[in-house]
Amino acid sequence: MSAGEVSGDIAGAHLAAALLDKNPEARIFGVGGSRMTAAGVTILCDTNRLGSVGITEAIYPVFILARVFSKIRRCVKLQRPDAAVLIGNDVFNLLLARWLKWKGIRTISYFPPQVWLWRSLARPIARSFNCILTSFPEEQAVYERAGRNATYVGHYLCDHLVPPSPNAKAASRAHFGISPGATVVGLLPGSRIHEVAPLTPVLLDAALDLSRKQSIAFVLPVAEPCYRDYIEEQIIKRGLSTRVLLCDDSHEAMRVSDLLLMASGTASLEAALLAVPMMILYPVSSVTFLAVKMLRRFGLIDSLTIGLPNLILGKRVVPELRQNGLTPRQLASLAGSLLQDRQRQSEMSEELKKVRTLLGEGPALEKAASIVLEHVEN
């Protein structure tokens, strides 16, 4: 198994658990993080902090990933696997898949490159894998046309996340020591270093501005322990220690919140399945944004939409804000307006509930594990 960021580590851990449940004698090794380790995967390298989105953002981990690639190759030569499951981490796993196929090893893509960006390269991507397990209806159609080796299994998050009942939300708030009637805003700066570093100050400055105007409790889940010291330092610097509660469980943070201010990524899909109103921020460099605009101009991508809920729904339900040019005061003003507009919150929540319907019924993990084992046994 090969995963390269927190969301991939989580998906890999769930899939590994499902595989071992079906075949307890299976041995799984690869690269990922602590969650995959806990699920029974022998981890060669921790790659949770190496995920990136964008062009210039991908330069930072390139030399480390080269060493990871080399280590995987050495290990594969020593203990040849029956199959390889490559999770997200687009460019790295595409290169790895090509090498593995050249070595005659069956390659399975789980969470393949998202078609909103990679549609024009769908055919060479499809040829890199023996099988593609898709989680979204649109990508199923694109990869099926490109290679006829795609199978729709659905998204495993649909099996785990449902909107909380009023009683469940109250219980979650009690766990955090938050009163049932309080206004709560979740701050989610992401799981990648190039998200956490720039977004944390912006979110906390916006929280400081919001707290001056109304009584609000803030909850901030820390994606990886290595980010905690930095985040705590930023909170103390702004005198928000009594206002911002840190936690390790992002789902609980979402359940207690009335509004989420968050980095784009899988977390936005989680929030959608929990039907929590949100605003999505994506901190990409100017070079990356200009490149995306050029791709759109040449018809290689359909739009500048990046939020998963909006992509799945086919319309802009959730506000998307680029960090470049967005000040904390502007963010606080927009968030404050949304918090005051109960009607708009309710409408957004109802629209987000449609995401589950569009993703179909599970059990996604059971389907995915069965297909992986079929490739192993054949």
Side-chain angles (χ1 to χ4, degrees):
M1 277 190 175
S2 172
E5 56 191 357
V6 172
S7 59
D9 184 30
I10 294 171
H14 282 295
L15 181 58
L19 287 168
L20 292 170
D21 184 59
K22 286 181 173 293
N23 184 354
E25 301 302 315
R27 291 187 298 115
I28 309 173
F29 70 91
V31 296
S34 59
R35 298 162 184 84
M36 287 171 63
T37 299
V41 181
T42 300
I43 294 297
L44 308 175
C45 300
D46 188 327
T47 53
N48 269 11
R49 286 178 281 171
L50 300 181
S52 62
V53 172
I55 298 170
T56 58
E57 295 85 354
I59 294 173
Y60 158 74
V62 68
F63 297 109
I64 302 175
L65 286 171
R67 292 199 295 271
V68 172
F69 194 99
S70 179
K71 189 164 187 175
I72 292 173
R73 290 175 61 176
R74 290 197 302 270
C75 193
V76 165
K77 289 175 181 178
L78 290 173
Q79 47 178 333
R80 181 185 175 89
D82 295 298
V85 179
L86 309 169
I87 306 166
N89 204 18
D90 299 343
V91 176
F92 178 85
N93 275 339
L94 279 171
L95 294 173
L96 179 58
R98 291 263 171 164
W99 181 81
L100 289 166
K101 278 196 74 177
W102 178 61
K103 287 293 182 180
I105 296 169
R106 287 179 176 271
T107 57
I108 302 164
S109 176
Y110 189 41
F111 291 97
Q114 293 182 14
V115 294
W116 74 270
L117 181 59
W118 296 95
R119 185 189 303 272
S120 61
L121 297 176
R123 191 170 297 278
I125 289 172
R127 289 174 179 170
S128 300
F129 302 99
N130 295 105
C131 175
I132 298 176
L133 304 180
T134 65
S135 300
F136 304 103
E138 184 182 4
E139 69 181 7
Q140 161 65 20
V142 171
Y143 283 122
E144 181 67 23
R145 288 195 300 270
R148 299 189 180 279
N149 58 341
T151 302
Y152 181 64
V153 296
H155 205 295
Y156 75 94
L157 286 173
C158 291
D159 302 337
H160 297 279
L161 299 177
V162 296
S165 67
N167 287 340
K169 185 171 184 176
S172 295
R173 288 193 169 195
H175 173 75
F176 282 102
I178 300 172
S179 65
T183 298
V184 184
V185 174
L187 308 174
L188 288 85
S191 59
R192 306 175 180 96
I193 186 61
H194 73 268
E195 294 171 335
V196 175
L199 267 186
T200 299
V202 172
L203 291 174
L204 291 175
D205 283 341
L208 184 61
D209 198 304
L210 277 168
S211 66
R212 288 170 177 159
K213 299 171 182 175
Q214 61 185 111
S215 178
I216 298 176
F218 299 94
V219 180
L220 194 160
V222 180
E224 286 288 283
C226 60
Y227 301 141
R228 184 173 284 268
D229 287 346
Y230 169 72
I231 292 172
E232 285 181 341
E233 178 186 326
Q234 296 297 316
I235 290 172
I236 293 170
K237 180 179 177 181
R238 291 163 177 79
L240 286 169
S241 299
T242 60
R243 288 294 190 97
V244 179
L245 302 172
L246 294 184
C247 69
D248 300 318
D249 190 333
S250 61
H251 295 162
E252 279 300 284
M254 292 178 187
R255 288 186 184 99
V256 304
S257 298
D258 299 300
L259 175 66
L260 301 170
L261 308 181
M262 64 196 314
S264 62
T266 304
S268 65
L269 176 58
E270 296 169 346
L273 293 172
L274 292 169
V276 184
M278 71 189 96
M279 296 171 65
I280 296 174
L281 288 78
Y282 48 109
V284 296
S285 70
S286 299
V287 173
T288 296
F289 186 66
L290 286 173
V292 172
K293 289 183 72 173
M294 289 295 292
L295 289 172
R296 186 190 182 194
R297 178 172 295 180
F298 287 108
L300 298 178
I301 61 174
D302 296 332
S303 72
L304 299 181
T305 300
I306 194 171
L308 282 174
N310 292 334
L311 289 166
I312 293 168
L313 292 168
K315 58 183 177 181
R316 189 68 67 91
V317 173
V318 177
E320 296 186 11
L321 311 167
R322 292 192 305 276
Q323 183 188 328
N324 186 24
L326 176 69
T327 67
R329 179 167 292 184
Q330 289 172 318
L331 177 58
S333 176
L334 293 169
S337 296
L338 185 51
L339 284 171
Q340 296 296 324
D341 192 340
R342 296 286 185 181
Q343 178 68 21
R344 188 179 173 200
Q345 290 178 53
S346 178
E347 290 172 354
M348 190 187 300
S349 182
E350 289 303 312
E351 287 290 331
L352 292 174
K353 289 177 182 177
K354 297 176 184 177
V355 169
R356 179 182 303 278
T357 303
L358 293 171
L359 291 182
E361 296 296 326
L365 286 167
E366 185 176 329
K367 294 177 185 175
S370 295
I371 293 169
V372 171
L373 290 175
E374 284 175 13
H375 280 271
V376 169
E377 292 163 1
N378 294 331

